[in-house]
Amino acid sequence: MALLGLQTALVKAASHREAPLMTLDPAADITDVYAFVSYDAANLVRPLANRKVTLIMNVVPGQEPGSGPNYFAFDDHVLYALHVDNDRDGVDDITYELRFESAVETPSQFLATLALPPVTALEGPDAAGLAIKQRYRVTEVRRCAPDRRRLCRTPLFMNTTLSAVPSNIGPRTTPTYGNLAAQGIFTDAPTGIRVFAGQRAETFAIDLGAVFDTLNFRVETPPGAPGRPPLPVQTAAEDANDTVNPFGNNTFSGFNINTIAIEVPMTRLTVDGLPPTKATGTIGVYASTSRQRVTLRRGARTVNEKLPLIRGEGQWRQVSRMANPLVNELIIPIGRKDFWNASEPEDEAQFLDAYRNLAVAGALQLVSGVPVPPNPREDVVRLLLKYAGQNPDPNVGPFSELLRLDMRVPPTPPSSIKRLGPFAHDANGNPTPDPAGFPNGRRPNDDVTDLVVRVAGCPNYIANFVGDGVGINA
């Protein structure tokens, strides 16, 4: 199934530490959002009416596998949410909320996780080595008929707590981690929804140091060499090879991430509850994290060992959001990044200048001398802020920053997935597009770094297969 496929899938972090406040709050830092028609064997053979969609959000970036002793968990004081707009108005109509609860069940144990015995289960005697267990609840929130103004909240999984999958400690403590992770997939029988929450392998498939050294991309020839291109130009054969990184440094290879993945039947996501059609088949997706308005901490003279040291009070306030990759990182200016995180996607009109006057494209031209399209970039506005078929008038909205997925497009089998999606080609440069990839939703395998660079640069960058030389988990 798609949720289990995350064990080995390429996962590229596209937005970690993207805003000043987020650098201080990794538990609420959304690194990636994915939305795709599930491509596991079962879903590949289902008719359209019975297919399912997988929604994913990743948080807690840059987890070094050996960084013990307490490793990594979700935050009990963060509200994690995946949102779906199903009527093309840019406002979320369905939300899946997760709240986590940690319990110290063996307070006398000197480390949080020990092989006493080895941890091979999430609950019960074979989980005795987990002194701290984290569990969570899932709630579906919908706009209710008939006026869709009222919100209806439905606890899923019989309102029971589900076990989060702990960090992979090592071969002695978690000797069969793949099997342990598989136990963390839960099914809600009445709805057909499945969910997973826990640690997964992350590969930030990007040359991070080069990108943020003012787009100082590495190239195959050394600096100053005769014929050295101003940008990392790849041959058609190199670019078409989805099994090898031709050059570049994969900065985050070997690191981990915390993943929330929800698989939902399509008919539960369409506005009318029927199989997707041309009118109802495209959804818009984003993820958010929120904290309560006030955080209270106990200190000296008020400390009580039986009471929590931290608790939240008041309404929830959004602290991070993400839909399309690299938007806050590369499009929104530094002085507005925290403000952008706190705003709603349907209010994106206030940021239109950043999309139309695409500064990152100008930087590409400045450092390389290779021309990019002139501003205003209405092509970028249409790609990221509008639905297909929406009024093309640049003065007419709504403008909403959402990851849009046409659920009618069949999933591509894993063996045939092309990391470049619509820009995919063979070794001779002949087009071999994969319509199931970004920007039609996003799959873990999609090389959004190369795709975004080419969209920003347009013809010169597309024709010369410009990229960072890092496209896969290798």
Side-chain angles (χ1 to χ4, degrees):
M1 62 175 289
L3 303 186
L4 262 182
L6 291 170
Q7 293 179 56
T8 56
L10 166 64
V11 182
K12 305 170 188 172
S15 189
H16 81 290
R17 292 173 56 84
E18 84 293 343
L21 286 179
M22 276 299 96
T23 65
L24 307 175
D25 195 359
D29 187 356
I30 304 170
T31 70
D32 285 287
V33 175
Y34 302 97
F36 53 90
V37 178
S38 300
Y39 46 78
D40 57 291
N43 209 54
L44 286 170
V45 299
R46 290 186 180 116
L48 177 64
N50 297 334
R51 286 182 187 151
K52 299 183 179 184
V53 167
T54 298
L55 310 176
I56 298 173
M57 66 185 296
N58 288 342
V59 295
V60 195
Q63 300 176 16
E64 203 286 316
S67 186
N70 290 303
Y71 296 93
F72 307 94
F74 297 94
D75 192 332
D76 295 354
H77 303 285
V78 171
L79 175 64
Y80 299 91
L82 283 154
H83 308 260
V84 177
D85 167 34
N86 63 11
D87 60 5
R88 300 168 61 97
D89 66 352
V91 180
D92 55 327
D93 302 292
I94 307 169
T95 300
Y96 294 98
E97 297 180 346
L98 280 79
R99 290 290 313 278
F100 289 84
E101 310 165 12
S102 297
V104 182
E105 299 192 350
T106 315
S108 60
Q109 187 167 301
F110 73 96
L111 289 177
T113 308
L114 292 172
L116 301 172
V119 177
T120 58
L122 299 177
E123 303 287 348
D126 291 329
L130 292 171
I132 302 175
K133 294 186 177 69
Q134 190 166 62
R135 305 177 180 94
Y136 62 98
R137 299 176 190 270
V138 185
T139 302
E140 183 183 69
V141 185
R142 289 179 170 267
R143 296 191 182 277
C144 304
D147 61 6
R148 296 171 64 85
R149 294 181 181 179
R150 186 169 58 91
L151 296 180
C152 294
R153 304 180 64 85
T154 303
L156 301 178
F157 302 92
M158 301 179 66
N159 199 30
T160 58
T161 57
L162 310 176
S163 299
V165 177
S167 296
N168 185 359
I169 309 301
R172 173 172 290 177
T173 306
T174 49
T176 55
Y177 191 75
N179 293 335
L180 183 68
Q183 297 174 43
I185 300 172
F186 299 94
T187 301
D188 184 56
T191 64
I193 292 174
R194 296 194 287 185
V195 68
F196 170 92
Q199 191 184 66
R200 297 285 78 197
E202 176 200 60
T203 298
F204 193 159
I206 184 174
D207 194 336
L208 189 66
V211 170
F212 292 112
D213 183 21
T214 316
L215 303 175
N216 187 21
F217 292 111
R218 304 169 206 266
V219 293
E220 292 180 278
T221 54
R228 180 181 189 270
L231 283 170
V233 172
Q234 301 171 91
T235 67
E238 287 174 334
D239 196 45
N241 191 340
D242 288 346
T243 64
V244 176
N245 291 326
F247 54 90
N249 178 36
N250 192 0
T251 309
F252 274 74
S253 178
F255 284 71
N256 295 323
I257 201 76
N258 276 13
T259 291
I260 292 169
I262 299 178
E263 188 180 59
V264 186
M266 285 185 183
T267 52
R268 201 164 182 85
L269 296 177
T270 53
V271 67
D272 55 8
L274 299 174
T277 64
K278 182 177 180 180
T280 66
T282 300
I283 58 174
V285 176
Y286 77 100
S288 70
T289 52
S290 301
R291 290 189 179 276
Q292 287 178 280
R293 189 170 60 88
V294 176
T295 298
L296 299 178
R297 297 176 181 270
R298 298 183 184 274
R301 299 184 182 179
T302 63
V303 173
N304 185 324
E305 194 172 1
K306 296 181 179 180
L307 297 175
L309 293 175
I310 300 175
R311 76 174 192 273
E313 288 188 358
Q315 294 181 327
W316 293 98
R317 295 288 186 262
Q318 182 175 289
V319 296
S320 181
R321 67 172 165 111
M322 184 182 177
N324 290 288
L326 298 168
V327 167
N328 201 11
E329 219 158 21
L330 295 181
I331 295 179
I332 306 302
I334 187 65
R336 306 191 77 192
K337 290 183 185 294
D338 289 322
F339 172 57
W340 186 90
N341 263 337
S343 65
E344 298 287 348
E346 61 262 31
D347 297 327
E348 204 70 9
Q350 63 190 316
F351 301 103
L352 277 173
D353 283 349
Y355 293 88
R356 287 174 171 154
N357 301 302
L358 195 62
V360 67
L364 280 169
Q365 179 170 316
L366 181 66
V367 301
S368 70
V370 179
V372 300
N375 293 326
R377 295 294 301 272
E378 296 299 339
D379 59 321
V380 175
V381 172
R382 289 192 299 271
L383 177 68
L384 300 179
L385 305 186
K386 286 190 169 186
Y387 284 93
Q390 199 173 322
N391 191 327
D393 188 327
N395 298 309
V396 177
F399 302 98
S400 53
E401 202 280 299
L402 299 169
L403 181 62
R404 291 168 173 83
L405 173 67
D406 185 346
M407 298 185 292
R408 298 172 302 153
V409 176
T412 302
S415 60
S416 301
I417 286 176
K418 303 291 187 181
R419 78 178 209 286
L420 293 174
F423 292 156
H425 56 85
D426 64 18
N428 295 315
N430 301 309
T432 58
D434 180 354
F438 180 80
N440 182 35
R442 183 183 171 199
R443 303 165 301 192
N445 306 73
D446 293 336
D447 187 356
V448 295
T449 304
D450 285 6
L451 289 167
V452 166
V453 168
R454 294 178 200 186
V455 167
C458 282
N460 291 323
Y461 294 72
I462 296 170
N464 290 285
F465 313 116
V466 173
D468 67 344
V470 176
I472 64 164
N473 179 8

